[in-house]
Amino acid sequence: MEMERKDVGILAMEIYFPPTCVQQEAMEVHDGVSRGKYTIGLGQDCMAFCTEVEDVISMSLTVVSSLLEKYKIDPKEIGRLEVGSETVIDKSKSIKTWLMQIFQEHGNTDIEGVDSTNACYGGTAALFNCVNWVESSSWDGRYGLVVCTDSAVYAEGPARPTGGAAAVAMLIGPNAPIIFESKLRGTHMSHVYDFYKPNLASEYPVVDGKLSQTCYLMALDSCYKRFCSKYEKFEGKQFSISNADYFVFHSPYNKLVQKSFARLYFNDFLRNCSSVEKDAREILEPYSNLTGDESYQSRELEKASQQVAKKIYNEKVQPSTLIPKQVGNMYTASLYAAFVSVLHNKNNTLGGQRIVMFSYGSGLSSTMFSFKLKEGEHPFSLSNIASVMNVSQKLESRHMFGPEKFVETMKLMEHRYGAKEYETSKDTSLLSPGTFYLTHVDSMYRRYYAQVEKTVDCKSLPSGNQ
Ligand code: ACO
């Protein structure tokens, strides 16, 4: 019998970010940079970071067990599990295998999928794999599950304020409220050394920041052109930014998102789209003959296009910026945390709307794709997804540390990176019930995790007592 597979997409979501963070304003003072460089110049408010008791494995265990529990999904109903991450701790052993503990307990080891890695793009590759599986002839009728998990940390210097940490889990299946428009994908992939991790003794990347900014914008242009031409091919009309209700970008820091949307507006101007108004045309006209390379270097064009796109940016992009500005770059989870922000801010009004997503991973891999939304039925309704994720509560209950504590934590983690035979403090006083945490690493580099008691309010317990 043919299985029903209409409206394949995201049925449910959960997000987790560490409760520990540092304010960017305080980081500006600590780093001795000019006031406003991180908050206005990069557009960031706050940066989350993992302390010694959390990492990408613990965050992914936390987010998966929370999703299964909150939506009452039987672990036996999962048939594919894909992880996107660029923080691969055990190198050859996937994070996915760690997550199998949750399913093994319930007698389910029949789960395909491993990890996908390419900088911040791995989560999108994982998502495409799951969606393609549900749409394929090998689908067995069970759910797919996608996990994006990363801890973004940089060496001291200009890239450090663009760190962050989070994990996002997405349940995939038919009859979803967040439906993939599978034919509308524009991809651009090429070879470039803008950001990579060649030093296996360090968690920090080698990064050419300026090159990565230009690569990101070039990839965006290329994906947008391909996305528009797919739309024209299948819909028989021109695509412009007026054909989508929201645009969600991979967000290393907010200023790049502002520049990206302005760049789409400039593309629409060059493509002579009717959505670009007359006064905006006049402002952009002087830049119409720049070559591609010149246009990426032109500060005047950047300013002019941001100015004319500002009003639409506020409507179509700003609702996606909440979590990325508060948590920072979450690498693979960043794009999906931005999407979660739209669900959080606009969940009551999203039925029937189109959301365009832009995924970028250095190296480089990038895709623009889109979702069509419908309200959906409980528990897989947009309003329930927003309520389950409870973003306001998660943001408000965080604990602000000073920059000194952040730097001290980075130093400890540098020392611990790749190390064996150590115990963590097991201090779970800041972690919510149900959160997984690292307890120790043994002489064979094997890692051990425990979970904060679910029924007890861990904040009332003395540290190290769970
Ligand atoms: N008040 C207001 N704005 C300021 C101030 C100030 N006091 N000081 C500087 N600025 C502005 C600058 O004008 C600049 O704005 P602009 O981009 O509009 O010109 C912005 O703040 C940043 O300042 P720069 O001097 O350009 O910053 P710097 O070169 O020191 O570092 C960078 C920025 C390159 C993004 C760095 O943080 C980095 O390498 N990050 C990691 C790489 C990255 O995130 N790349 C993005 C895509 S790849 C990925 O996702 C990992």
Side-chain angles (χ1 to χ4, degrees), residues 377-419:
E377 279 168 36
H378 191 82
F380 305 137
S381 63
L382 297 177
S383 43
N384 191 50
I385 298 172
S387 126
V388 160
M389 290 190 296
N390 208 351
V391 167
S392 299
Q393 192 271 335
K394 281 177 184 151
L395 286 173
E396 281 155 22
S397 62
R398 293 190 300 169
H399 189 88
M400 285 304 157
F401 278 113
E404 293 74 17
K405 174 72 184 171
F406 166 71
V407 172
E408 188 188 306
T409 306
M410 291 301 104
K411 288 220 159 77
L412 177 65
M413 303 310 270
E414 281 166 26
H415 180 67
R416 292 260 172 95
Y417 188 71

Side-chain angles (χ1 to χ4, degrees), residues 67-338:
L67 181 141
L68 296 175
E69 190 179 304
K70 287 179 179 164
Y71 294 90
K72 299 191 170 47
I73 305 292
D74 180 342
K76 289 200 212 50
E77 290 181 87
I78 303 296
R80 188 171 189 104
L81 171 55
E82 296 268 349
V83 176
S85 181
E86 59 165 285
T87 323
V88 188
I89 291 177
D90 291 325
K91 313 286 191 299
S92 74
K93 176 174 160 60
S94 65
I95 296 173
K96 184 271 177 85
T97 56
W98 269 102
L99 292 170
M100 283 310 300
Q101 291 179 112
I102 295 172
F103 300 92
Q104 263 164 257
E105 259 179 38
H106 295 265
N108 184 8
T109 55
D110 176 16
I111 304 183
E112 290 180 5
V114 286
D115 294 2
S116 292
T117 301
N118 190 98
C120 309
Y121 187 85
T124 299
L127 180 59
F128 287 177
N129 285 347
C130 260
V131 169
N132 292 348
W133 175 66
V134 174
E135 289 179 341
S136 76
S137 59
S138 53
W139 185 51
D140 65 3
R142 291 184 294 165
Y143 296 118
L145 186 58
V146 176
V147 182
C148 308
T149 181
D150 267 308
S151 163
V153 286
Y154 290 92
E156 273 175 37
R160 181 156 267 190
T162 61
V168 170
M170 296 177 265
L171 188 73
I172 309 300
N175 306 317
I178 302 157
I179 306 157
F180 256 81
E181 297 191 292
S182 288
K183 288 198 162 64
L184 301 183
R185 285 186 197 171
T187 287
H188 173 82
M189 302 211 176
S190 68
H191 163 60
V192 59
Y193 272 129
D194 60 333
F195 166 115
Y196 47 111
K197 293 180 175 167
N199 181 0
L200 297 183
S202 166
E203 196 176 359
Y204 301 141
V206 171
V207 56
D208 182 337
K210 298 290 172 202
L211 177 64
S212 75
Q213 291 166 320
T214 309
C215 289
Y216 182 110
L217 295 174
M218 285 169 71
L220 175 69
D221 280 353
S222 182
C223 288
Y224 188 51
K225 285 191 183 88
R226 286 170 189 161
F227 180 89
C228 289
S229 76
K230 294 261 176 80
Y231 183 92
E232 280 151 31
K233 182 172 165 194
F234 294 112
E235 301 287 324
K237 55 186 177 192
Q238 189 180 45
F239 182 89
S240 76
I241 51 180
S242 58
N243 293 101
D245 299 283
Y246 298 98
F247 287 83
V248 180
F249 298 88
H250 165 56
S251 180
Y253 53 93
N254 178 256
K255 177 64 88 59
L256 192 55
V257 171
Q258 295 172 33
K259 290 182 187 182
S260 296
F261 185 67
R263 193 81 205 173
L264 296 189
Y265 195 96
F266 182 60
N267 269 276
D268 277 4
F269 160 75
L270 293 175
R271 294 165 57 241
N272 215 6
C273 295
S274 55
S275 53
V276 179
E277 287 170 3
K278 190 169 169 286
D279 40 349
R281 274 176 201 288
E282 280 163 18
I283 292 171
L284 295 176
E285 195 52 49
Y287 310 102
S288 56
N289 292 323
L290 293 181
T291 64
D293 281 352
E294 285 166 348
S295 75
Y296 298 116
Q297 305 311 325
S298 170
R299 302 284 295 166
E300 293 75 24
L301 167 60
E302 210 171 75
K303 286 209 177 68
S305 51
Q306 275 181 257
Q307 180 205 327
V308 292
K310 178 95 177 82
K311 188 168 158 282
I312 318 180
Y313 172 90
N314 289 340
E315 286 164 21
K316 299 194 180 211
V317 184
Q318 203 266 342
S320 70
T321 61
L322 173 73
I323 302 173
K325 279 171 77 105
Q326 282 293 327
V327 175
N329 192 357
M330 298 151 260
Y331 289 163
T332 52
S334 165
L335 174 66
Y336 300 97

